[in-house]
Amino acid sequence: QVQLVESGGGLVQVGDSLRLSCKASGRDFSRYSMAWFRQAPGKERKFVAAISWSDDSTLYTDSVKGRFTISRGNDKNTVDLQMNTVNPEDTAVYYCAADPSFRLAALRPQVMDYWGKGVLVTVSS
């Protein structure tokens, strides 16, 4: 059974740092790109960051560039999202997802093969 399990969410203050982790199991994810999406209350799910299985290249949405860093464990079954200098606009449920494509620009919620259940991040001002 394939599972993606996120952890690390919680309540933080503006300017704080937070690290989300995702553990994938149930199959070999070494040839799957991993991504983080987020969904704010009342909004659609949006892309945040991704890391390619082919060369570990990364892609970020503009609003998190320079603040968030996506990284992958050596076993390829874990992916982290380091979130620095958070602001209230980062408040959302964060989802980990996996897809066999290595073209990060093509990763959208509609195409991802596997999803975690999400973890809530709340940034308080």
Side-chain angles (χ1 to χ4, degrees), residues 103-116:
R103 299 188 184 128
L104 301 184
L107 298 182
R108 307 182 310 279
Q110 296 87 341
V111 305
M112 305 303 288
D113 273 13
Y114 301 108
W115 288 93

Side-chain angles (χ1 to χ4, degrees), residues 4-105:
L4 277 65
V5 180
E6 303 95 337
S7 61
L11 174 64
V12 294
Q13 303 293 317
V14 169
D16 283 354
S17 295
L18 192 67
R19 190 174 185 90
L20 304 182
S21 293
C22 173
K23 174 68 175 177
S25 62
R27 69 163 300 145
D28 180 7
F29 282 91
S30 62
R31 296 175 77 85
Y32 273 72
S33 294
M34 304 295 290
W36 288 93
F37 292 80
R38 66 186 179 186
Q39 188 166 14
K43 301 286 183 65
E44 62 182 11
R45 193 171 300 186
K46 293 185 177 180
F47 173 85
V48 176
I51 185 165
S52 174
W53 65 263
S54 65
D55 60 0
D56 283 341
S57 60
T58 58
L59 182 68
Y60 298 91
T61 191
D62 286 348
S63 62
V64 307
K65 284 180 182 177
R67 300 189 299 121
F68 290 11
T69 302
I70 188 169
S71 60
R72 195 159 184 169
N74 290 334
D75 63 0
K76 304 297 184 183
N77 288 336
T78 58
V79 60
D80 291 345
L81 185 68
Q82 177 67 41
M83 305 167 60
N84 297 330
T85 320
V86 297
N87 59 59
E89 289 70 38
D90 296 321
T91 294
V93 176
Y94 284 72
Y95 297 90
C96 175
D99 191 85
S101 175
F102 57 82
R103 299 188 184 128
L104 301 184

